[in-house]
């Protein structure tokens, strides 16, 4: 979502007559987009803005203005941030992106339609969150859930397809809850799958309650809908899930997993997990470990609990010591390495349809892309002239925990 917002702001600035800088060194204006979901994320953004403000004050670079946007602005407020960051020129609250051209020096026009060209694009379908998970600051900084109108979403995706976009990722904090009257999220998916030029439809994030038969039948009928779901579980302990206010039990979560894997055993599932939630015992943690094995996640993001002021869980004692959080984090990551490798090994010998993203970051002689399951697939560039944004068929020869190696067939 933040990547999407940054792109929208960049487009607004370009429409207002600004030009993208080559890099931070020759920029006259830098806007830092902040996240506040964990304290570490917030510190990183504010630290970066502080560094830029200091650069500006020294006057040794081209930098003339520094702005801050994103959820840290909603949490801390402009007054507090300007106190913490001498030299900060402006702040933009979430949902007020349109103010940017006014705030940025030299801006004169408004009204650009934010867009991202290339072969892949993000499309916001829902904003806000009504879930109130005990640890989460998002509902406070992003407000209530709101579904964007069906017609607006269809128009935007048609417009993107027209510009050559092949893959869209629909964004919402709880995207499966999107609704317009009688029209459900799976019905929206079916409509978007009819749009010529769009080859892949993804969406994030999901809640197990949204994994309905209606969703599965949309997957079955529409090959364009990628068989991958990011389904944050947060914990495998019923006691912790209840405290978190996640509104599902371990068994309900696993039933959603089973439904998707019964439909397609290679269905790719990724998740988020929090370790060290207040009162998380060794037994709770073990329950998370066994759940992760039972679910057989293809990938997992592990977060150490970070109390966010103003959330319900901030009133609880943050009683799992930092070293213990660190240990649990490492245990889950090494479990996931093993599990990712096992899951990927099953794909050796199969042919994957891969959307080409470009040269591999680690090895320039290789090309890299993603299969429908969002798995990274890499192959030798010498063998093919596959263009960025095209789909190639790659036979998998070698599996690694986070990557598949293959050759184009
Ligand atoms: N502490 C640690 N992790 C958190 N997340 C959200 N809030 C917190 C917090 N206070 C994690 C959740 C969520 C992901 C985006 O960040 O796992 O799914
Ligand atoms: Fe936060 Fe829960 Fe909403 Fe996700 S669903 S944004 S964890 S409150």
């Amino acid at each position: 979502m933040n990547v999407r917002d940054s792109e929208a702001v960049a487009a607004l600035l370009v429409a207002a007559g600004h030009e993208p800088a080559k890099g931070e060194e020759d920029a006259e204006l830098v806007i830092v987009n902040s996240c506040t979901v964990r304290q570490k994320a917030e510190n990183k953004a504010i630290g970066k803005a502080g560094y830029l403000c200091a650069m500006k004050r020294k006057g040794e670079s081209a930098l003339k203005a520094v702005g801050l946007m994103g959820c840290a602005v909603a949490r801390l407020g402009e007054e507090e941030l300007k106190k913490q960051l001498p030299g900060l020129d402006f702040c933009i609250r979430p949902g007020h992106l349109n103010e940017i051209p006014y705030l940025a020096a030299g801006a004169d026009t408004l009204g650009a339609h934010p867009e991202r060209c290339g072969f892949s694009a993000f499309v916001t379908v829902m904003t806000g969150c009504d879930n109130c998970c005990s640890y989460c600051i998002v509902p406070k900084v992003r407000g209530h859930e709101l579904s964007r109108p069906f017609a607006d979403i269809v128009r935007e995706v048609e417009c993107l397809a027209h510009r050559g976009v092949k893959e869209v990722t629909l964004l919402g904090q709880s995207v499966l809850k999107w609704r317009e009257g009688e029209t459900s999220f799976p019905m929206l998916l079916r409509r978007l799958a009819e749009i010529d030029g769009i080859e892949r439809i993804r969406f994030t994030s999901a809640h197990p309650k949204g994994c309905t038969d209606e969703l599965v039948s949309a997957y079955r009928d529409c090959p364009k809908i990628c068989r991958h779901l990011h389904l944050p579980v947060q914990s495998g302990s019923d006691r912790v899930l209840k405290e978190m206010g996640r509104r599902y039990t371990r068994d309900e979560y696993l039933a959603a997993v089973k439904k998707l894997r019964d439909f397609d055993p290679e269905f790719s599932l990724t998740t988020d997990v929090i370790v060290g939630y207040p009162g998380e015992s060794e037994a709770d943690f073990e329950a998370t470990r066994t759940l992760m094995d039972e679910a057989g996640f293809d990938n997992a993001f592990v977060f150490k609990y970070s109390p966010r002021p103003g959330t319900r869980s901030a009133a609880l004692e943050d009683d799992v010591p930092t070293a213990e959080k660190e240990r649990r984090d490492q245990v889950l990551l090494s479990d996931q390495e093993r599990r990712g490798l096992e899951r990927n090994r099953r794909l050796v010998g199969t042919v994957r349809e891969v959307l080409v993203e470009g040269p591999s970051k680690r090895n320039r002689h290789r090309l890299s892309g993603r299969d429908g399951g969002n798995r990274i697939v890499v192959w030798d560039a010498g063998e093919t002239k596959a263009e960025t944004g095209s789909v190639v068929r790659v036979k998998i020869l070698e599996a690694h925990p986070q990557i598949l190696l293959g050759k184009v067939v």
Side-chain angles (χ1 to χ4, degrees), residues 111-406:
H113 177 70
E115 66 188 41
R116 177 199 197 190
C117 285
F119 61 89
S120 182
F122 294 118
V123 177
T124 304
V125 300
M126 267 186 100
T127 53
C129 184
D130 285 346
N131 278 344
C132 311
C133 300
S134 63
Y135 51 84
C136 188
I137 191 83
V138 168
K140 212 174 152 184
V141 290
R142 293 255 166 177
H144 280 296
E145 269 169 19
L146 192 69
S147 293
R148 253 182 95 195
F150 180 83
D152 286 9
I153 299 167
V154 173
R155 203 179 317 115
E156 180 171 346
V157 175
E158 278 173 348
C159 178
L160 289 167
H162 196 69
R163 290 170 197 279
V165 167
K166 302 267 169 49
E167 176 182 76
V168 289
T169 305
L170 312 180
L171 299 176
Q173 223 52 256
S174 219
V175 74
L176 304 179
K177 276 166 88 183
W178 181 94
R179 199 159 189 97
E180 183 176 283
E182 293 299 299
T183 313
S184 63
F185 184 71
M187 288 156 85
L188 173 68
L189 289 177
R190 284 174 187 271
R191 174 65 186 88
L192 298 179
E194 287 170 6
I195 297 173
D196 284 339
I198 297 296
E199 289 177 28
R200 285 185 169 179
I201 301 171
R202 303 183 181 281
F203 43 92
T204 195
S205 281
H207 187 279
K209 278 210 192 326
C211 297
T212 56
D213 292 340
E214 195 198 354
L215 181 70
V216 172
S217 68
Y219 277 119
R220 182 174 291 116
D221 296 343
C222 310
K224 288 183 181 179
I225 308 174
C226 290
R227 295 183 176 184
H228 166 233
L229 201 58
H230 186 63
L231 196 61
V233 65
Q234 313 300 2
S235 171
S237 152
D238 278 335
R239 194 190 63 78
V240 175
L241 287 171
K242 187 147 192 236
E243 293 249 325
M244 287 178 165
R246 291 291 295 171
R247 300 181 303 112
Y248 53 80
T249 62
R250 173 192 178 97
D251 286 350
E252 282 164 349
Y253 183 91
L254 287 170
V257 169
K258 184 170 184 304
K259 183 177 275 192
L260 297 167
R261 290 269 172 74
D262 280 351
F263 157 63
D264 177 357
E266 299 315 334
F267 196 102
S268 170
L269 277 171
T270 56
T271 202
D272 290 343
V273 179
I274 296 177
V275 290
Y277 184 80
E280 185 188 66
S281 66
E282 192 57 33
D284 293 324
F285 173 64
E286 281 305 316
T288 299
R289 282 187 84 181
T290 56
L291 175 131
M292 291 178 78
D293 261 333
E294 283 175 47
F297 291 120
D298 293 85
N299 206 350
F301 301 90
V302 183
F303 302 103
K304 286 168 272 189
Y305 173 71
S306 162
R308 309 307 292 126
T311 58
R312 274 186 291 129
S313 68
L316 306 171
E317 193 195 343
D318 182 12
D319 59 355
V320 178
T322 308
E324 181 58 18
K325 283 183 190 164
E326 188 63 47
R327 186 191 71 85
R328 292 179 188 180
D329 181 39
Q330 289 304 321
V331 169
L332 295 190
L333 289 177
S334 79
D335 282 358
Q336 187 54 46
E337 283 270 305
R338 171 190 44 78
R339 187 181 307 116
L341 183 60
E342 278 167 20
R343 293 276 311 159
N344 280 345
R345 278 204 180 123
R346 299 157 50 127
L347 301 175
V348 172
T350 65
V351 173
R352 318 297 304 165
E353 305 240 321
V354 180
L355 187 62
V356 184
E357 290 182 353
S360 152
K361 279 192 202 111
R362 288 189 210 157
N363 180 340
R364 309 297 293 175
H365 301 294
R366 285 178 168 164
L367 283 172
S368 168
R370 283 173 198 266
D371 76 351
N374 217 26
R375 302 174 185 95
I376 299 171
V377 181
V378 168
W379 64 97
D380 275 335
E383 304 168 25
T384 113
K385 289 201 199 68
E387 269 175 52
T388 297
S390 66
V391 176
V392 294
R393 290 163 57 78
V394 180
K395 182 167 182 177
I396 304 307
L397 304 174
E398 218 179 290
H400 295 267
Q402 310 256 12
I403 255 181
L404 295 163
L405 286 179

Side-chain angles (χ1 to χ4, degrees), residues 84-102:
Q84 279 191 28
L85 298 166
L88 183 70
D89 294 274
F90 58 85
C91 289
I92 303 123
R93 282 169 298 150
H96 293 250
L97 301 188
N98 281 346
E99 293 168 12
I100 285 213
Y102 288 132

